[in-house]
Each structure stands twice: as structure tokens, then as C-alpha cells.
Amino acid sequence: MTLTQLRYLIAIADSGLNITAAAERVHATQPGLSKQLKQLEDELGFQLFSRRGKSLQAITPAGQQVLERARVIVTEAGNIRALAAELRGEEAGELVIATTHTQARFVLPPAIGALKRRYPDVNVHLQPHGDALVLDMFERGRADLAIVSTSGEPPAGGLAVPLFHWRRAVLVPRDHALARAARWPSLAELARYPLLSYESVLRPESSLRRAFAAAGEAPRFAFTSRDADLIKTYVRAGLGVGILAEMAVLAEDAEDLHLLDAADLLPPCTSWLVLRRDRVPRGYVLALAELIAPQLDRRDLRRALAGEEPARWPAPPSWRELAARARSVRAA
Amino acid sequence: MTLTQLRYLIAIADSGLNITAAAERVHATQPGLSKQLKQLEDELGFQLFSRRGKSLQAITPAGQQVLERARVIVTEAGNIRALAAELRGEEAGELVIATTHTQARFVLPPAIGALKRRYPDVNVHLQPHGDALVLDMFERGRADLAIVSTSGEPPAGGLAVPLFHWRRAVLVPRDHALARAARWPSLAELARYPLLSYESVLRPESSLRRAFAAAGEAPRFAFTSRDADLIKTYVRAGLGVGILAEMAVLAEDAEDLHLLDAADLLPPCTSWLVLRRDRVPRGYVLALAELIAPQLDRRDLRRALAGEEPARWPAPPSWRELAARARSVRAA
DNA sequence: CGCGTTTACGTCGTTCGTAACGATA
DNA sequence: TATCGTTACGAACGACGTAAACGCG
């Protein structure tokens, strides 16, 4: 049994039992993986995968057990390497971020920009996905960190650190009836219009859906997307009333869109940074956290990951504060 | 980085930084370890050990971090091998038991005898130690299981399973004043005599010491040992009153010793089996548990180790019941 | 016939043990 | 001088990639 064999095993399992694809992933040749897998199975004395003909069919129950432990081993080996890289002062590496489109498009750009200036040799890989998939990818170990939002409890699956609070924004075309109204609309009034919002409202436990339900309303979501830009585009096209994160509203949107403050209508949300408890983070991972949310300190993050602390986090600022602070920095 | 290098690293750390001794332990040559250590340090880019001249002086802080992760890796690799051995139906292996002298001498023999009949190819290594050292050895990973006693909470450091309850026995020579008394002595009466007991009573938190203290007595422990046989020998020699575990009292002791029932005087104790949560146990480890305490079932133990259960254990019998049951089995 | 896996083979790198050397107390 | 670690060297092994063969849809 070697670390290489276990790495190959994981790659095969994570590539849908396709050895050729797995070989690609680990930068090796397919016969190499085939052989190593065979050797591992010979050493252990049982099949890790069931086969149909020559193709791998499924992981055997025993193989599943081995796979789980192999993941621990390979993760810890990676931790040792990360530890060493940090100690050497290495500033190159990969940073895989699993997050939603809104964060990737409207929140992260300045932070990632600053990060790349500080760590030019870090390659950043953004994986925008739907809410559910983000945490899924993260839990499968495909990402170093996840950035997700909830309107309540912190997300499970790792160490969750609050980055900032935000509110929803309601967007309508400038000539929309709601834009001319004298006062902010109620939920009931909003619910009369076709709504445009994120894909995640399709889930029954969506906080937006629940807010309407609590007011006895059952709005029609006429258009959903993961992509806030698309939602804005279709609001412009007159499809209805857009409900999206305030971060997605830019100054230039005011030219043809009217922003209704939904602060009191809809529950506030928190954006969370989620780190894997089983991984030693590289310095630039924590640097990114600090860059997004200045109230965070990487030493606290390291302590929390080591499990040494009850993990009390500084109160997160609102997005409005963060944006104002960023503007004043740019002005200076 | 290879599994071998990490195994060598652990061996060196566990051999007091003596590479020659470590080489012995892993059945390799000393230059082999030296070289692998050097290669690992070269790959990681920093020293795992600080050196004075050529000798290893201490583990560096970074080395400590690496060492901890290396232990996880090597443990999990061992788990995979154990898993495979079980699946193959392998019935050979090593069984290292950390326990006290009393358990090793008076409780385990029948169980280990039966185990060896069932698993002739399992080599059993008994490590009798003082109470504190037992758990220490166990936590350092030198033993597959520990068997210890407490008179209250289960021991920490692993998955603790209650085996049986037992009481203390008070032994005096047949011609001792207490042997002729009409009734059982009180703690105050006992405390008038020099006492002979286990080494563990020297610790201030000892349950025996606390029992006397609660009665306002401060007895003199004139003789202590880890070895119940020795205590009995010195009781015979007239040094005083022996207080030991009832398991240590044999039928033939009645010839020249008088047994006082201390059931109501001194608090009861529980013997616990302790398993490491990070290790997949071989079948014979669980078989031993079943052989000592028939109320246990290895499937429950496996489930509890997998963390799937709130770990409620069947009520442990008393040692008296266990011994009676064993006698009736022998008679049949 | 394409896709994916296995088998065969040659090369290269690595590990390991023996033996000699060096440093330290 | 004894103990312990390093260096040197040769043999054996193992990993890896290329190329070809095999099975299957």
C-alpha cells in the first residue's frame, strides 16, 4: 500500500469509475492507474470495485470503507505538504473557491484582485454553482473554501465564519407601477407581480419563499436563475419584479432600474465563509477571508480550525458598511 | 513523502529519538532510517528534529505538527490493513493488552486461554502496568485495548465499555484480631491497622483514600504494590490488613487468610474495556471482550466504534456472578 | 470501429542492506 | 573506545510510460 495507490483509488472513485479520466486528473497514464489498482487489490486480498467485463461497475462495500480511510490519509498527507509549504514561505499554490454566482460576480472581485496582487503565484479557480451544489462540492473536497449565504443558522459541513450581513433588494423598471408608488410596497403587493429571483427560491425551505408564506402569500416566481445579471436583464425586459441580493445592485443600474428598499420586508441574510475542519489552510486562504471581511484575523481562524476555541466571531458588518469602506479606500 | 517515511518518523519519535532503536522496532537498518528521514526533511524543506552534532536533540514544533498527522496516516493505513485481514478471514495477528496486574493475573487468564484456543495464531502481549501508565501506554497507541478499573466515571481516552462490577476485599491472617471479631469492622477500625494495598492508593484522588477521608480517617498505607500476589504475601507475613480487589482472592487463600467482606465499607468499582476510537479492531479483539464479559456483543462494539450509536451498554454483571458462571461452565 | 482496459516490455529511479567512515561522550 | 549517525556502493525491486492486444458497445 502506497500513498500513490490511495491517491489513484480516490481519483478513480471521484471520476465516476473511469480510469482514463482518473489518470488525466492525477497526471499519470491510464495503464499506470490500472496496474496500481490491481496491485492494491492484490495486497488487500479483495476487490475494491466490482467489474462488468473490464469496466468498473461499482465500489464494493469493503472498497467504500477503504476509500473513506484513503481520503483521510491523502488529506493528511496534503496537510503535511501545506504545512511545509507555509513554513518555507511558499507563496504559490491553488485556491479553489466554491460559491454562488452573486458572490463570485459582485463580492469577490476586489478581494481576489487584492489577493492576486499579494500572491501573484496563486492560481484562483472559481466554481460558481447553485446554493446546494456549492456545499456539496465543498464537502466532497473539491474546494478549499465555500462562500454561501443563509438567513439563519450557519451552514453545516465545516467551520462557518460570518463574513457580513446583507439584505435583499427589490428591482423594478423605472416606469413600473411600484416605482411610482409613494411608499414601499408590502409583501402582499409584491406578490401580485410575477417575481424574478434566484434559483434557490425553488426549494421549499428557501427563506424568501418562507417569508411570503408567513405573510399568507403565495407569489409566482416567473423566472429564476443562479445568475443575478440575468435576473436584472429580464427585469429590464419587463418580466416582473426582481428580488435579489443587494450586492448585485450596481450604481449604474440606477439608470434604468428603480431600487426599492426591501430591508423591512424580507429577512436579512448572512454570508458565511466555510472552511474544512480537516484541512490545514494555506496562508492565502485565510488572507482571502481577511480581504473580504476586515474584522477577521487569520490567527483566530487558525485557532478555531485547531479546535482550540469556542469559535466566537467578531460581529460581522453589513454589506453596506463594507461597500462604503471599500469606496473610501478607493478614493484615498 | 511515503508511508514508510512516516512510519520511520513515528518510530524515531517513539524511540526517544534514537534512530538505531527505531530501526530495530520497524525491522529495518539504521542507515535506512537515517536516509529516509533526511529525504523527508529535504522534501518538506525544514528540519523535523533539531540536532546537536549528529544526534537528534528534540522534535521541532513543525516536526511535532507533521508527527501528529503522520500518526493519523499510519493509523488509518493500519486500519485498511486490518479491514482487509478481517475480510480475508485472516485469524493471525497481534493483540497488545495494557492492563493492571490484578486483571492480568486473576481476570484475563480464562478469557485469554479461550481466545488462544479459538485464535491459535494470535500472539497476545500483556503489558501489566500501574493504573496511570496503563491509560498512558494505551493513549500512545502502544496497545490495542486497555482494561482498567474506576469507582465512578468511565475512563477517558477511548471508547469505554463496562465489563463487570467488583468490590474490594479485606484480607487478614487467620489469627488477626479482626478475624476473631464478631462483626465486620468499620472504616475507623480498619484505619487503626497498617494497610497493604495497591500502589494507586498513593494518588490523592484514589477512591480508597477518598473513602477513608470521607469517614474522617487517615489510614497509614504501610505497604503498596501493583502486584496483588505480593500484597497477599505480606499480609501473610503479618504486616497488616490487606485491601485488594475481590478478583485477587482465590479459594486456596482461605487456608491461611481470613476474608472480611468489605462490600458495604468501600465503594464498588467497575472494570472497563477501553478501545481506541481511531482504530478498526480485529475480530479477536472483540472476541476477547465477549469472552471476558458475556453480556457484550461484538456487533454493538463495532457500531459504537463507528459512532453510530449513543453507546448504551448492557448492565455489567458483578464479578461474583461472572465467577459463578465460569465455575458452572467448568463443571459441565 | 471507437472507447476503455489489460498485458507486455524496457527504462529509470528508488530502496535497501552491507560496509566503511566520522563524530561524540 | 564504545555508541550512534552518516556516507558510499552495489544489487534488487518497483514504478512509470510506450506500444500493442483485447472486449465491448
Side-chain angles (χ1 to χ4, degrees), chain B residues 218-235:
Chain B
R220 187 164 63 88
F221 288 100
F223 175 95
T224 66
S225 168
R226 289 191 297 239
D227 183 332
D229 282 323
L230 271 181
I231 297 174
K232 287 194 287 187
T233 301
Y234 282 85
V235 169

Side-chain angles (χ1 to χ4, degrees), chain A residues 124-286:
Chain A
V124 178
H125 307 280
L126 268 182
Q127 300 197 325
H129 282 115
D131 260 0
L133 238 85
V134 166
L135 281 177
D136 191 59
M137 285 289 105
F138 175 73
E139 282 172 31
R140 284 175 197 279
R142 306 292 185 83
D144 297 301
L145 61 92
I147 298 175
V148 295
S149 301
T150 72
S151 74
E153 287 303 291
L159 178 71
V161 186
L163 291 170
F164 57 87
H165 294 305
W166 54 271
R167 317 256 2 172
R168 288 187 177 83
V170 177
L171 278 183
V172 293
R174 294 205 73 86
D175 56 356
H176 194 276
L178 286 177
R180 292 188 303 264
R183 51 174 189 78
W184 306 131
S186 67
L187 279 185
E189 285 170 304
L190 279 186
R192 285 198 212 111
Y193 297 94
L195 300 183
L196 290 70
S197 191
Y198 295 108
E199 201 179 74
S200 56
V201 299
L202 295 178
R203 286 178 307 162
E205 72 275 19
S206 138
S207 67
L208 193 56
R209 185 173 286 273
R210 276 188 289 129
F212 276 104
E217 301 292 334
R220 187 164 61 89
F221 288 100
F223 176 96
T224 67
S225 168
R226 290 190 297 241
D227 182 332
D229 283 321
L230 271 181
I231 296 173
K232 288 195 287 188
T233 301
Y234 283 84
V235 169
R236 288 192 174 94
L239 258 71
V241 176
I243 302 183
L244 30 73
E246 60 174 324
M247 297 87 82
V249 179
L250 302 175
E252 55 263 40
D253 291 329
E255 290 176 17
D256 53 351
L257 290 176
H258 187 81
L259 172 64
L260 304 177
D261 192 339
D264 300 327
L265 281 180
L266 297 167
C269 295
T270 307
S271 285
W272 304 85
L273 171 80
V274 194
L275 294 171
R276 294 187 63 94
R277 284 219 172 74
D278 59 357
R279 279 205 202 164
V280 172
R282 294 292 304 270
Y284 50 74
V285 173
L286 305 182

Side-chain angles (χ1 to χ4, degrees), chain B residues 90-157:
Chain B
E90 199 118 339
E91 301 205 333
E94 308 290 315
L95 172 55
V96 183
I97 306 171
T99 188
T100 57
H101 175 266
T102 296
Q103 304 284 346
R105 168 80 174 76
F106 300 101
V107 177
L108 294 182
I112 291 183
L115 188 78
K116 281 292 273 188
R117 283 191 291 280
R118 170 66 186 79
Y119 295 96
D121 296 329
V122 169
N123 300 317
V124 178
H125 308 280
L126 268 182
Q127 302 197 324
H129 282 115
D131 260 1
L133 237 83
V134 166
L135 280 178
D136 192 59
M137 284 290 106
F138 175 73
E139 281 173 31
R140 283 176 197 279
R142 306 292 185 85
D144 297 301
L145 61 92
I147 298 175
V148 295
S149 301
T150 72
S151 74
E153 287 303 293

Side-chain angles (χ1 to χ4, degrees), chain B residues 19-20 30-31 34 54:
Chain B
I19 299 185
T20 306
Q30 178 273 322
S34 274
K54 294 191 164 184

Side-chain angles (χ1 to χ4, degrees), chain B residues 2 6 17 25 42 51 55 89 111 177 202 217 223 253:
Chain B
T2 67
L6 299 178
L17 312 192
R25 180 183 298 211
D42 286 350
R51 276 129 167 119
S55 292
L202 296 177
E217 301 293 333
F223 175 95
D253 291 329

Side-chain angles (χ1 to χ4, degrees), chain B residues 7-20:
Chain B
R7 223 179 73 236
Y8 288 179
L9 168 65
I10 293 170
I12 293 172
D14 287 350
S15 305
L17 312 192
N18 180 324
I19 299 185
T20 306

Side-chain angles (χ1 to χ4, degrees), chain B residues 235-254:
Chain B
V235 169
R236 288 192 174 93
L239 257 72
V241 175
I243 302 183
L244 30 74
E246 60 174 325
M247 296 88 81
V249 180
L250 301 176
E252 54 263 40
D253 291 329

